[in-house]
Amino acid sequence: MQLNSARQAWHDAFYVPRDSQGAVMQEMGLLGRMIQKTDKQRKAGHQAHQAIAGRIQQAIDTLPAHLKAFGNHMYSPMATADDAEEAHEAMFRVAYATGPRMYAKKFEKARMVALGVLHRYRRMHQGGQSEGIDPCPTPEGFRAWLLHVLGLELDSRNWDREWQDFVNACFNACNDLDKAALVPVSSVIKIMKTAA
């Protein structure tokens, strides 16, 4: 396991290498189901990976539930729909509390806008090095994505006044939650690098 970044370490700690995808699909086609195999890898590299992964997983388990869910949604290859839902809820709560005040009629639209921002943030930061690009870099592209994917139509007039501050608050909330979730992983990586 490479300890290049906390984001990559989070992913790699939960990644379980398998046969090629084609071999797995062929097995499923022939047998009609996936079979768990008990072949053990006996290589020292695998054992070292497991030891490091255990330390990273232990650090992740020290997090409060909402931060663990946010990190899992962002980086874990085994993230669940519950992780996604809890990450969205945590981000929305922070953004709504710190962002501009809204009328009750905008509340449900704000939830959907926050879901769109979480999608954008995740796409930008997946891969461990935050090298992704924003899939909706312009307000027009973001509104089109909201309409196409979530069925939410937002008026293009007064975008800056109506939504831009809330979108910024959502990005700030994602950034704050992300940093907080990565702190224990970064600490463990720092300890392991100094011990090596």
Side-chain angles (χ1 to χ4, degrees):
M1 174 187 286
Q2 298 290 324
L3 298 176
N4 296 331
S5 74
R7 291 179 170 117
Q8 184 179 359
W10 192 307
H11 173 273
D12 292 351
F14 292 100
Y15 179 74
V16 179
R18 287 191 46 97
D19 293 334
S20 70
Q21 185 176 4
V24 172
M25 296 307 288
Q26 181 181 15
E27 179 181 275
M28 287 178 63
L30 290 173
L31 302 174
R33 65 186 66 202
M34 189 178 300
I35 305 295
Q36 180 178 353
K37 295 183 179 179
T38 57
D39 296 340
K40 293 184 180 180
Q41 292 189 16
R42 292 185 167 87
K43 298 176 187 168
H46 178 71
Q47 303 307 321
H49 172 84
Q50 291 299 95
I52 294 169
R55 292 290 305 272
I56 300 295
Q57 290 174 5
Q58 185 179 26
I60 291 168
D61 283 340
T62 65
L63 290 167
H66 71 286
L67 291 178
K68 184 176 178 182
F70 188 87
N72 280 336
H73 176 64
M74 292 293 297
Y75 308 114
S76 176
M78 298 171 39
T80 65
D82 289 340
D83 289 330
E85 189 175 309
E86 196 166 341
H88 173 247
E89 185 61 32
M91 185 270 285
F92 179 72
R93 277 185 277 136
V94 172
Y96 194 76
T98 60
R101 297 290 159 226
M102 296 184 191
Y103 294 111
K105 68 179 185 174
K106 284 179 67 174
F107 189 79
E108 285 308 312
K109 287 182 180 181
R111 278 191 172 283
M112 295 174 82
V113 168
L115 190 60
V117 171
L118 182 61
H119 167 75
R120 290 171 63 186
Y121 188 85
R122 184 175 186 224
R123 291 279 305 273
M124 290 164 41
H125 294 282
Q126 277 183 323
Q129 300 296 328
S130 296
E131 296 170 343
I133 59 169
D134 187 348
C136 306
T138 64
E140 294 80 18
F142 186 46
R143 281 195 314 274
W145 185 90
L146 289 169
L147 179 61
H148 179 70
V149 175
L150 300 177
L152 175 64
E153 186 172 359
L154 296 177
D155 192 357
S156 64
R157 295 171 295 177
N158 302 320
W159 173 262
D160 288 342
R161 188 185 78 215
E162 293 289 324
W163 292 106
Q164 192 60 52
D165 288 342
F166 182 68
V167 168
N168 292 340
C170 288
F171 272 114
N172 291 337
C174 285
N175 196 36
D176 292 345
L177 291 167
D178 197 13
K179 285 180 183 177
L182 294 172
V183 165
V185 177
S186 296
S187 298
V188 166
I189 290 173
K190 184 177 179 182
I191 290 168
M192 286 193 283
K193 281 187 172 184
T194 57

